[in-house]
Short mmCIF file of all heavy atoms in Angstrom, two decimals:
data_model
loop_
_atom_site.label_atom_id
_atom_site.label_comp_id
_atom_site.label_asym_id
_atom_site.label_seq_id
_atom_site.Cartn_x
_atom_site.Cartn_y
_atom_site.Cartn_z
N LEU A 78 7.63 -2.31 6.03
CA LEU A 78 7.00 -2.70 7.28
C LEU A 78 6.92 -1.67 8.41
O LEU A 78 5.73 -1.42 8.93
CB LEU A 78 7.75 -3.93 7.83
CG LEU A 78 7.56 -5.21 7.03
CD1 LEU A 78 8.49 -6.34 7.53
CD2 LEU A 78 6.16 -5.56 6.86
N PRO A 79 8.00 -0.90 8.77
CA PRO A 79 7.76 0.17 9.77
C PRO A 79 6.97 1.36 9.27
O PRO A 79 6.18 1.88 9.99
CB PRO A 79 9.26 0.61 10.00
CG PRO A 79 10.12 0.04 8.93
CD PRO A 79 9.38 -1.05 8.38
N PHE A 80 7.06 1.68 8.00
CA PHE A 80 6.18 2.76 7.36
C PHE A 80 4.74 2.34 7.45
O PHE A 80 3.88 3.14 7.91
CB PHE A 80 6.66 2.94 5.91
CG PHE A 80 5.95 4.20 5.28
CD1 PHE A 80 6.44 5.44 5.38
CD2 PHE A 80 4.79 3.98 4.61
CE1 PHE A 80 5.76 6.50 4.82
CE2 PHE A 80 4.08 4.99 4.04
CZ PHE A 80 4.59 6.26 4.15
N LYS A 81 4.48 1.13 7.02
CA LYS A 81 3.05 0.68 7.12
C LYS A 81 2.53 0.56 8.50
O LYS A 81 1.43 0.99 8.73
CB LYS A 81 2.99 -0.71 6.43
CG LYS A 81 1.63 -1.18 6.17
CD LYS A 81 1.68 -2.35 5.20
CE LYS A 81 0.30 -2.99 4.96
NZ LYS A 81 0.26 -4.14 4.05
N ALA A 82 3.33 0.18 9.44
CA ALA A 82 2.87 0.17 10.84
C ALA A 82 2.63 1.55 11.37
O ALA A 82 1.61 1.72 12.05
CB ALA A 82 3.93 -0.66 11.69
N LYS A 83 3.57 2.36 11.15
CA LYS A 83 3.30 3.72 11.62
C LYS A 83 2.10 4.50 10.97
O LYS A 83 1.28 5.05 11.74
CB LYS A 83 4.61 4.62 11.29
CG LYS A 83 4.46 6.07 11.75
CD LYS A 83 5.88 6.80 11.47
CE LYS A 83 5.52 8.21 11.21
NZ LYS A 83 5.80 8.66 9.87
N GLU A 84 2.01 4.46 9.60
CA GLU A 84 0.87 5.06 8.93
C GLU A 84 -0.44 4.40 9.37
O GLU A 84 -1.54 4.94 9.44
CB GLU A 84 1.14 5.08 7.42
CG GLU A 84 2.25 5.99 7.12
CD GLU A 84 2.04 7.44 7.49
OE1 GLU A 84 0.91 7.96 7.17
OE2 GLU A 84 2.96 8.08 8.10
N GLY A 85 -0.42 3.02 9.38
CA GLY A 85 -1.59 2.23 9.88
C GLY A 85 -2.17 2.66 11.25
O GLY A 85 -3.40 2.88 11.41
N ALA A 86 -1.17 2.77 12.10
CA ALA A 86 -1.58 3.25 13.46
C ALA A 86 -2.15 4.66 13.50
O ALA A 86 -3.16 4.89 14.15
CB ALA A 86 -0.28 3.18 14.43
N ARG A 87 -1.50 5.51 12.67
CA ARG A 87 -2.04 6.90 12.54
C ARG A 87 -3.40 7.00 11.84
O ARG A 87 -4.32 7.54 12.40
CB ARG A 87 -1.11 7.76 11.66
CG ARG A 87 -1.61 9.20 11.69
CD ARG A 87 -0.53 10.06 10.76
NE ARG A 87 -0.58 9.61 9.42
CZ ARG A 87 -1.45 9.91 8.54
NH1 ARG A 87 -2.52 10.69 8.78
NH2 ARG A 87 -1.41 9.51 7.23
N ASP A 88 -3.60 6.10 10.86
CA ASP A 88 -4.95 6.04 10.26
C ASP A 88 -5.97 5.39 11.14
O ASP A 88 -7.18 5.90 11.28
CB ASP A 88 -4.90 5.14 8.98
CG ASP A 88 -4.06 5.85 7.83
OD1 ASP A 88 -3.84 7.10 7.94
OD2 ASP A 88 -3.74 5.22 6.90
N PHE A 89 -5.63 4.45 11.96
CA PHE A 89 -6.52 3.94 12.90
C PHE A 89 -6.95 4.95 13.94
O PHE A 89 -8.09 4.99 14.35
CB PHE A 89 -5.84 2.58 13.50
CG PHE A 89 -6.73 1.92 14.59
CD1 PHE A 89 -7.75 1.11 14.24
CD2 PHE A 89 -6.50 2.13 15.90
CE1 PHE A 89 -8.66 0.54 15.16
CE2 PHE A 89 -7.36 1.62 16.88
CZ PHE A 89 -8.46 0.76 16.47
N TYR A 90 -5.99 5.49 14.49
CA TYR A 90 -6.20 6.60 15.46
C TYR A 90 -7.17 7.74 14.92
O TYR A 90 -8.19 8.05 15.56
CB TYR A 90 -4.90 7.19 15.90
CG TYR A 90 -5.15 8.51 16.78
CD1 TYR A 90 -5.53 8.32 18.14
CD2 TYR A 90 -5.10 9.71 16.33
CE1 TYR A 90 -5.71 9.45 18.99
CE2 TYR A 90 -5.33 10.91 17.13
CZ TYR A 90 -5.68 10.67 18.41
OH TYR A 90 -5.94 11.78 19.28
N MET A 91 -6.83 8.12 13.71
CA MET A 91 -7.67 9.17 13.10
C MET A 91 -9.03 8.71 12.83
O MET A 91 -10.02 9.50 12.96
CB MET A 91 -7.02 9.73 11.77
CG MET A 91 -5.68 10.44 12.04
SD MET A 91 -5.85 11.84 13.22
CE MET A 91 -6.81 13.03 12.33
N ASN A 92 -9.24 7.46 12.42
CA ASN A 92 -10.42 6.96 12.12
C ASN A 92 -11.37 6.71 13.40
O ASN A 92 -12.47 6.86 13.26
CB ASN A 92 -10.38 5.59 11.43
CG ASN A 92 -11.63 5.11 10.76
OD1 ASN A 92 -12.28 5.85 10.02
ND2 ASN A 92 -11.97 4.00 11.04
N THR A 93 -10.74 6.45 14.49
CA THR A 93 -11.48 6.18 15.66
C THR A 93 -11.64 7.38 16.59
O THR A 93 -12.72 7.58 17.22
CB THR A 93 -10.89 4.95 16.43
OG1 THR A 93 -9.50 5.21 16.73
CG2 THR A 93 -11.04 3.67 15.70
#
Side-chain angles (χ1 to χ4, degrees):
L78 291 175
F80 183 88
K81 192 172 173 176
K83 179 179 150 246
E84 291 300 310
R87 185 182 62 81
D88 290 345
F89 179 77
Y90 172 79
M91 294 305 292
N92 195 53
T93 56

